[in-house]
Amino acid sequence: MSKKILITGASGLVGSQLTEMLLQKGYQVVHVGRTKRAGIPHKKGASFVWDVNRQEFDTEALNGVDVIINLAGAGVADKRWTDSRKRELLESRTKSLALLYKTLSTTNHQVTAVISASAIGYYGFMGNEVFTENSKPGTDFLATLTKQWEAEADKLASLNIRTVKLRIGIVLSDKGGALIEMAKPVRMFAGSPLGSGKQNLSWIHIEDLCAMFLKAATDETLRGTYNAVSGDWVTNKEITKAIGKVLNRPVWPVHIPAFVLNLMLGEMANIVLQGSKVSADKIKQTGFEFKHTTLEAALKSLKL
Ligand SMILES: NC(=O)c1ccc[n+]([C@@H]2O[C@H](COP(=O)([O-])OP(=O)(O)OC[C@H]3O[C@@H](n4cnc5c(N)ncnc54)[C@H](OP(=O)(O)O)[C@@H]3O)[C@@H](O)[C@H]2O)c1
């Protein structure tokens, strides 16, 4: 019997593709989300509802589940970071994991592993340092959020459940996310580097990320934290140019000034104006093999 994998936040960018991949490989998939939907493709698998704020979970969802993949969280770049939005970004993540902890500690189940999303935002944004899983966390909003998010995931390990956190970089997909937003101005003949253009972007192709979630779910030697990045970081200027090349559009040498982006986006502008170099060595040492190792090849494989 193939493993049964429960995914939270499965309706999103990563969850949708991960579900397709798992079903194709013969895994059983169960979704848990804020609303019941026909989210599972081809009517395979079931969809259950949880209420993170009220800490309610339909325990029927756990029937026969071996592994939980936790992807839930309000979209970091979806809305301006007001105080209440910042609280939502944090609590949608910490309360989701707290609900999983509460449920798994009070219900009969056979879950042996929880694989939780985390983010390279953990490290903060620094010039040329290459961050490894042992690097210290940053001090900005996203770093503080990610630290608290991971601390909630760590509590699951105390239930004798194998726990893995994937610190995800910028996910390259043609179905949504950062790449689609970066490509929009380029497609409109208005592509320019942002700010200095020198900020580093540590990316991962969505196919590799989904494969990494599967490895973490099935390889019992994986525990703790792994950076989910390709290891081929590029600058904002380089990726803007690469997108221009794929779309056959010019990229102008005039940069969009940082103050304009700060005015438009407020503190959220940090996501595009700053960056970090993040190492993929630890996951490679587990034997994980990337399919997409260079930006150019990754972009060519996507339908931009
Ligand atoms: N995409 C990236 O570049 C990237 C980079 C670093 C880290 N990550 C992290 O990886 C995870 C998956 O990424 P993604 O791109 O697939 O995210 P996404 O498209 O925004 O999907 C996240 C899912 O979380 C659920 N959700 C949204 N708001 C919520 C709330 N207030 N409370 C509870 N659940 C909520 C939704 O699922 P339901 O509607 O089904 O409940 C949503 O589809 C996220 O935690 C994200 O922060 C992503």
Side-chain angles (χ1 to χ4, degrees), residues 16-27 29 31 37-47:
S16 308
Q17 185 145 342
L18 180 60
T19 299
E20 283 278 4
M21 187 198 77
L22 292 174
L23 289 174
Q24 271 169 21
K25 289 186 181 290
Y27 290 90
V29 179
H31 282 181
R37 45 179 115 210
I40 303 215
H42 327 305
K43 295 196 168 50
K44 287 184 189 166
S47 158

Side-chain angles (χ1 to χ4, degrees), residues 25-100:
K25 289 186 181 290
Y27 290 90
Q28 301 175 69
V29 179
V30 176
H31 282 181
V32 173
R34 292 165 303 163
T35 50
K36 196 174 177 72
R37 45 179 115 210
I40 303 215
H42 327 305
K43 295 196 168 50
K44 287 184 189 166
S47 158
F48 294 87
V49 175
W50 66 354
D51 188 324
V52 169
N53 286 322
R54 296 166 70 153
Q55 293 285 284
E56 290 170 359
F57 189 100
D58 182 349
T59 51
E60 219 186 297
L62 285 176
N63 278 346
V65 168
D66 303 290
V67 176
I68 296 178
I69 294 182
N70 174 54
L71 303 173
V76 169
D78 288 357
K79 288 185 193 164
R80 209 177 163 94
W81 292 353
T82 58
D83 286 348
S84 69
R85 181 62 181 170
K86 282 182 171 178
R87 202 172 325 114
E88 191 179 357
L89 292 173
L90 174 68
E91 291 184 353
S92 60
R93 290 172 169 76
T94 52
K95 286 187 176 174
S96 293
L97 283 163
L99 179 53
L100 288 178

Side-chain angles (χ1 to χ4, degrees), residues 8-287:
T8 71
S11 63
L13 182 71
V14 177
S16 308
Q17 185 145 342
L18 180 60
T19 299
E20 283 278 4
M21 187 198 77
L22 292 174
L23 289 174
Q24 271 169 21
K25 289 186 181 290
Y27 290 90
Q28 301 175 69
V29 179
V30 176
H31 282 181
V32 173
R34 292 165 303 163
T35 50
K36 196 174 177 72
R37 45 179 115 210
I40 303 215
H42 327 305
K43 295 196 168 50
K44 287 184 189 166
S47 158
F48 294 87
V49 175
W50 66 354
D51 188 324
V52 169
N53 286 322
R54 296 166 70 153
Q55 293 285 284
E56 290 170 359
F57 189 100
D58 182 349
T59 51
E60 219 186 297
L62 285 176
N63 278 346
V65 168
D66 303 290
V67 176
I68 296 178
I69 294 182
N70 174 54
L71 303 173
V76 169
D78 288 357
K79 288 185 193 164
R80 209 177 163 94
W81 292 353
T82 58
D83 286 348
S84 69
R85 181 62 181 170
K86 282 182 171 178
R87 202 172 325 114
E88 191 179 357
L89 292 173
L90 174 68
E91 291 184 353
S92 60
R93 290 172 169 76
T94 52
K95 286 187 176 174
S96 293
L97 283 163
L99 179 53
L100 288 178
Y101 177 86
K102 184 181 116 178
T103 307
L104 293 174
S105 55
T106 54
T107 315
N108 278 333
H109 65 82
Q110 62 178 64
V111 175
T112 55
V114 175
I115 319 302
S116 184
S118 174
I120 58 169
Y122 177 89
Y123 302 114
F125 302 106
M126 290 275 282
N128 271 326
E129 183 183 347
V130 177
F131 293 114
T132 72
E133 290 77 356
N134 293 327
S135 300
K136 289 203 177 94
T139 53
D140 58 72
F141 166 65
L142 278 186
T144 314
L145 176 154
T146 312
K147 207 173 139 189
Q148 288 172 264
W149 188 12
E150 289 197 0
E152 284 299 329
D154 288 339
K155 288 183 190 162
L156 288 156
S158 71
L159 299 176
N160 212 12
I161 292 174
R162 185 172 65 83
T163 307
V164 180
K165 295 156 289 176
L166 296 184
R167 288 186 183 148
I168 305 171
I170 304 296
V171 179
L172 300 188
S173 159
D174 49 22
K175 310 261 172 0
L179 181 62
I180 294 296
E181 293 308 312
M182 286 188 274
K184 275 182 193 164
V186 180
R187 192 188 303 284
M188 308 283 286
F189 292 89
S192 287
L194 305 177
S196 72
K198 292 180 185 157
Q199 61 277 37
N200 285 291
L201 191 140
S202 290
W203 59 272
I204 181 163
H205 192 291
I206 191 155
E207 276 179 17
D208 282 328
L209 179 60
C210 291
M212 210 182 281
F213 269 108
L214 178 57
K215 175 157 176 84
T218 53
D219 183 339
E220 288 170 17
T221 65
L222 265 68
R223 259 164 223 274
T225 316
Y226 297 84
N227 293 332
V229 292
S230 64
D232 171 50
W233 49 78
V234 290
T235 65
N236 173 272
K237 189 175 175 179
E238 285 165 343
I239 193 166
T240 313
K241 278 185 159 177
I243 294 170
K245 200 169 160 194
V246 171
L247 292 177
N248 202 16
R249 295 284 193 279
V251 167
W252 308 106
V254 184
H255 293 213
I256 311 279
F259 81 89
V260 173
L261 291 158
N262 279 320
L263 275 175
M264 281 166 55
L265 303 173
E267 190 182 347
M268 202 168 80
N270 285 350
I271 299 178
V272 290
L273 288 172
Q274 298 178 341
S276 53
K277 293 181 180 177
V278 179
S279 163
D281 289 352
K282 186 176 172 192
I283 192 74
K284 283 182 187 161
Q285 279 158 18
T286 68

